[in-house]
Amino acid sequence: NKELFCGWRSASCGCGCCDAESELDETEAQEAAEALFEETSEARRRVSMGEDLADDQGNPLAIHVKVPQGLKKCSKCHTYKKAHRFRGSVCTGCVRREKRARGDRDDDSEPIEEVMRRCVKPWTEEDYPEGRCEVCMSQDADDEEDEFVMCAGCNVCVHTHCYGGELIYESSPGNWKPHIPEGDWFCQLCTEKGVPSSREIPVTCVLCPVRFGAFKPTIDGRWAHLCCMRAHPEVESECVYRQERVSGLCDAHHKRWSQRCMVCGTFAGACVECTASVAPGKQCPNTFHVGCAVYAKDSRFVLTPVETSNSDTINWVRLCPEHSGSFA
């Protein structure tokens, strides 16, 4: 190895390891030096992974590997990164690459359909015999001003004013009244995409992975739950009376699209944070999809609007099961 490095420096370096008549030309010496560097780098990598290296006679080789202070090494890509960028022993970069390779953005190998079937379920008449609006989550209905209407295709139950669309009409400027259709009523999703049993491709909310509920189209041709739209801080509807069309998806904070839901465990859609404070200046770290929270089995989430002094602003209280008991 000494001869290789000395030959690379010059044919007569004066170190005693080579002489002026060395047969190594500059190109060969460079290639040999690079090969030795790669061999040493590979040895360092193997030692950093916990291997014990030895020479031909079985004597252990002492190779010093310096671990950067305050960093942690990924067990997959063997790179050093800051500790908060890890999930267990794997860095977040490797986690994202694995999710992209699977295509379902889920940490588990279980299909997303099975995950959602296990975590959420649609509401039935047995759950709420008197009905419950799948937009505002209220069980109250005014027979004259705001009745319950159920879709004949997907059985979604909504208030007329909560769903908007063809269920309301403007009797005078700024005065909207309910319009109860005669006969069977089909929601906008069933009207455009057909009833659930006839859809070739199931429709999923852009904000959560739930595939049932009250949907409205977005400005870019996708579909979103009305309950998700209402509870997301940045998402809104172009017409607040007709609840059409869902907009503001591009304004949602980028971190929401990479957060993990505590209900379904997936990264699909966009999550919201629990608004409870666990310490002065510190918020609860739990995140969840609004749709998953609404339709979760044994749901104990709290999602409710709170009026403010500004009539144009509505603050939402979003509490996970750990803090929902404290809400009065």
Side-chain angles (χ1 to χ4, degrees):
N1 293 341
K2 270 188 174 182
E3 294 177 358
L4 294 179
F5 276 112
C6 292
W8 171 67
R9 288 177 59 191
S10 75
S12 58
C13 62
C15 67
C17 300
C18 58
D19 53 26
E21 297 180 358
S22 175
E23 296 180 356
L24 288 175
D25 60 18
E26 186 177 352
T27 303
E28 293 175 345
Q30 177 71 24
E31 293 177 354
E34 291 177 354
L36 179 62
F37 177 78
E38 292 178 1
E39 181 181 352
T40 306
S41 300
E42 175 64 16
R44 290 181 181 276
R45 188 189 68 81
R46 292 170 61 187
V47 170
S48 67
M49 295 175 64
E51 294 187 31
D52 295 327
L53 302 184
D55 58 15
D56 297 338
Q57 287 75 31
N59 300 320
L61 296 177
I63 297 182
H64 177 66
V65 179
K66 184 179 180 180
V67 178
Q69 187 176 4
L71 300 185
K72 186 178 178 181
K73 190 183 71 173
C74 176
S75 60
K76 285 188 175 292
C77 64
H78 312 297
T79 58
Y80 291 93
K81 296 182 180 179
K82 293 184 179 180
H84 72 274
R85 295 186 176 180
F86 279 79
R87 291 193 179 133
S89 62
V90 183
C91 69
T92 55
C94 290
V95 172
R96 285 194 297 268
R97 283 189 289 272
E98 289 179 358
K99 287 186 289 184
R100 293 192 193 102
R102 283 195 298 268
D104 55 2
R105 303 187 68 194
D106 190 11
D107 278 344
D108 200 292
S109 58
E110 186 178 9
I112 187 68
E113 295 83 1
E114 296 298 328
V115 173
M116 301 310 299
R117 191 176 294 114
R118 186 183 70 250
C119 298
V120 299
K121 67 180 183 68
W123 296 343
T124 61
E125 292 186 8
E126 287 115 19
D127 299 326
Y128 304 102
E130 297 181 359
R132 183 182 183 184
C133 178
E134 300 194 34
V135 179
C136 68
M137 286 80 73
S138 171
Q139 301 183 56
D140 299 329
D142 190 332
D143 292 338
E144 296 181 358
E145 294 295 330
D146 210 1
E147 296 186 39
F148 280 137
V149 180
M150 180 173 289
C151 174
C154 60
N155 295 327
V156 65
C157 181
V158 294
H159 284 127
T160 53
H161 277 85
C162 289
Y163 189 82
E166 67 277 8
L167 295 182
I168 60 173
Y169 72 97
E170 193 172 15
S171 59
S172 60
N175 185 21
W176 297 81
K177 291 188 174 294
H179 170 66
I180 308 300
E182 297 181 0
D184 292 338
W185 171 75
F186 292 89
C187 67
Q188 191 168 353
L189 180 61
C190 290
T191 302
E192 296 188 17
K193 298 291 185 179
V195 297
S197 59
S198 65
R199 296 172 195 164
E200 296 182 0
I201 301 177
V203 177
T204 304
C205 175
V206 67
L207 295 170
C208 76
V210 178
R211 295 180 174 178
F212 46 80
F215 286 87
K216 278 299 180 77
T218 65
I219 59 175
D220 56 0
R222 294 179 289 179
W223 295 86
H225 286 124
L226 283 175
C227 61
C228 293
M229 178 202 70
R230 286 163 57 95
H232 265 271
E234 302 89 358
V235 185
E236 59 185 4
S237 62
E238 290 185 323
C239 179
V240 295
Y241 297 105
R242 293 192 175 275
Q243 302 294 330
E244 298 171 350
R245 295 174 299 169
V246 179
S247 62
L249 297 175
C250 295
D251 297 329
H253 198 283
H254 63 86
K255 69 177 181 180
R256 301 190 186 281
W257 303 97
S258 58
Q259 291 173 330
R260 182 172 183 170
C261 175
M262 65 180 299
V263 179
C264 66
T266 69
F267 296 85
C271 290
V272 294
E273 302 86 2
C274 175
T275 55
S277 297
V278 295
K282 186 176 181 181
Q283 190 172 321
C284 174
N286 290 333
T287 58
F288 49 87
H289 297 123
V290 175
C292 291
V294 171
Y295 295 104
K297 294 181 179 179
D298 301 325
S299 175
R300 299 185 305 275
F301 290 85
V302 171
L303 294 167
T304 183
V306 177
E307 295 182 358
T308 62
S309 57
N310 186 356
S311 59
D312 296 332
T313 304
I314 298 178
N315 291 334
W316 276 78
V317 174
R318 302 180 294 269
L319 300 177
C320 66
E322 296 179 11
H323 302 101
S324 59
S326 61
F327 181 76

